[in-house]
Structures are given as C-alpha cells and as structure tokens.
Amino acid sequence: MRILVTNDDGIQAAGIRALETAARRFGDVTVVAPANEQSSIGHAISLRSPLRVQRLDERHYAVVGTPTDCVYLAMHRIYSEPPQLVLSGINHGANLGDDVTYSGTVGAAIEGLIQGVPSIAFSLCRGSNFDACVPHIERVIEAALDEPVDRPLLLNVNFPDCSDGVTGFFLGSLGRRHYGKIVDERKDPRGGSYFWIGGPLVKHREEPGSDELIVRQGGVSVTPLTVDLTDYRTWQKMQGWKLISS
Ligand code: MN
C-alpha cells in the first residue's frame, strides 16, 4: 500500500518520525512535509507563491509550503500513482473541538479526503512521548483498513499522554473550547504596537462524549469528520424564507 505521511510541525519534528515508524508496517511510506513549522495554518493552499521542494532522499521531501500544499504536490507531482492512505501528524499538541478548523494537521487530512483518499490526523495532547503512541496508531490504521465504511474516511485522532497506556479508544464528537478573549498589546523597540492573540485556554465545556473529555479521562479520541459544512437542518428551515426563489 502507498502511504503518504505529512504534518504541520515540519519534517524535522519528532512526531512525524514516530508516525512514519508506525506507517511503515503497512506499506510503502513517502514523507512529504513542510520544511518549516506550519501549525495553525488550517487548510490553506499557496496560490501566490512558488513552492520549493527539496528531495532529501527518495522517500523524504521537504516543501516550503503548507501541509495542504504538501498533499497536493505529493498527489499530483511526486506520486506517479496516488497514495491509498494519507497520515498527518503526530502533532505536538491537541487538535480538539473547534480547534480542528485552525489545524494544519487536520488541514492536510482534509486535503487527502478531498482528493478521494482515506486520511487520518493524529495529535498528542499532553507531553511529548510520541514513541508511546506508535502501537496505538497501528491499531487505528488496522481498524480503518479492516472495517472500511461506505466512503473515504477522514479521522481525527487525539492521544492523551500514552506513557502509561490508555484506557481505550472512544468515538468522540467535536467539543467546544474557550480561549481567554485576550488581545495582548506590546511595544516593539521603536515604540510601535503589536499584538498577540489567543491567550491561555481558560475553560472547557463539559460535554459528554466530546473528544476533549475522552482525552482528559485518559482515552484515545477517534472522531470521523466530514468536509461538507452545509447545515442541513437550517437549510430545511430556510426553504420557507421569502428571499429564497422556489
Ligand atoms: Mn502543529
């Protein structure tokens, strides 16, 4: 099986090496990943700048671009036949709840799915023991291969600190996270203002079945995602709007 591995932390990150190790058990692995960190770049694609690709060896390519650029380039330039599985990660840090919309790790997996290839994003929420995630990644890939669903899968997988094992694998839904609504203003050496947004994470909403809660309780959260953002329930209700032609 042809497996494409990418990430958003950059090709030198420890997490992608652990993911490559796990992936090798399942087939031929090619790593096409950003040359520099691209965390929180989401599903961005570079349409206004050239993409430089450095071939490190026959299995590793560093791209000066986004995770989505990496998947796109791999599919249409590096591979002669498309990969059959796209794996993204292991991200250093959580990709839970609303945050998946910011995530470059998930962005790469979204691109894989849009190109019609089953894709899985992996993130480590606590600590940096990526090696301890490897057997769990293997189990997720095995399950995805053994029990296919009726269309290409897009999975978002988040690990707790796996150093002492995990309590199990649980189906999670995207929870809600709240950051402090802080815009921190600072001064540069010439007296000009600049800003840092985001601030610390202040609270999580306690939602049963949410990915956040699963990971907090020591489980591996597995969430199937879809890229169709249409709100079908509201769509139905809006059919009655005077604005809408019949
Ligand atoms: Mn990252």
Side-chain angles (χ1 to χ4, degrees):
M1 183 167 62
R2 296 178 300 278
I3 303 173
L4 169 63
V5 169
T6 191
N7 74 346
D8 77 358
D9 293 335
I11 198 163
Q12 303 295 343
I16 198 169
R17 286 199 292 274
L19 181 55
E20 186 184 355
T21 302
R24 274 212 210 100
R25 251 195 57 196
F26 298 91
D28 281 339
V29 177
T30 302
V31 176
V32 183
N36 307 301
E37 184 173 353
Q38 298 287 308
S39 291
S40 69
I41 200 82
H43 186 220
I45 193 165
S46 303
L47 298 179
R48 289 175 190 81
S49 54
L51 294 173
R52 307 278 178 196
V53 181
Q54 190 186 2
R55 187 173 180 270
L56 305 176
D57 58 47
E58 66 183 76
R59 297 259 169 221
H60 295 84
Y61 298 80
V63 177
V64 182
T66 69
T68 294
D69 294 333
C70 292
V71 174
Y72 203 96
L73 268 172
M75 298 269 184
H76 303 298
R77 195 74 203 193
I78 294 170
Y79 277 88
S80 46
E81 282 183 278
Q84 291 142 309
L85 183 64
V86 173
L87 305 175
S88 181
I90 308 167
N91 188 57
H92 192 187
N95 278 307
L96 297 162
D98 301 324
D99 285 355
V100 301
T101 59
Y102 302 118
S103 169
T105 307
V106 176
I110 286 174
E111 186 59 26
L113 185 81
I114 287 174
Q115 303 280 343
V117 181
S119 301
I120 312 176
F122 295 97
S123 303
L124 176 58
C125 299
R126 284 180 191 81
S128 52
N129 190 351
F130 296 104
D131 291 339
C133 301
V134 168
H136 307 306
I137 291 173
E138 291 173 350
R139 288 200 57 196
V140 173
I141 296 173
E142 270 164 13
L145 297 176
D146 290 352
E147 302 180 74
V149 292
D150 59 358
R151 52 182 175 173
L153 262 184
L154 169 53
L155 294 183
N156 186 40
V157 178
N158 278 269
F159 296 110
D161 185 348
C162 298
S163 304
D164 301 315
V166 300
T167 57
F169 295 77
F170 301 91
L171 275 172
S173 56
L174 295 185
R176 303 279 98 83
R177 307 183 92 199
H178 299 277
Y179 287 93
K181 294 189 176 73
I182 295 169
V183 178
D184 199 12
E185 181 173 358
R186 302 187 187 181
K187 297 286 181 193
D188 68 30
R190 282 167 293 283
S193 290
Y194 67 95
F195 302 90
W196 281 107
I197 61 170
L201 184 66
V202 287
K203 59 180 177 184
H204 325 265
R205 208 182 286 173
E206 295 278 346
E207 283 182 62
S210 73
D211 47 5
E212 173 79 44
L213 200 59
I214 289 167
V215 169
R216 194 140 29 103
Q217 293 172 345
V220 179
S221 170
V222 181
T223 305
L225 301 179
T226 173
V227 293
D228 182 353
L229 295 176
T230 311
D231 176 353
Y232 287 99
R233 223 162 43 174
T234 305
W235 190 98
Q236 284 290 344
K237 288 185 181 157
M238 287 177 64
Q239 280 188 305
W241 281 24
K242 290 192 196 83
L243 172 75
I244 306 297
S245 304
S246 52

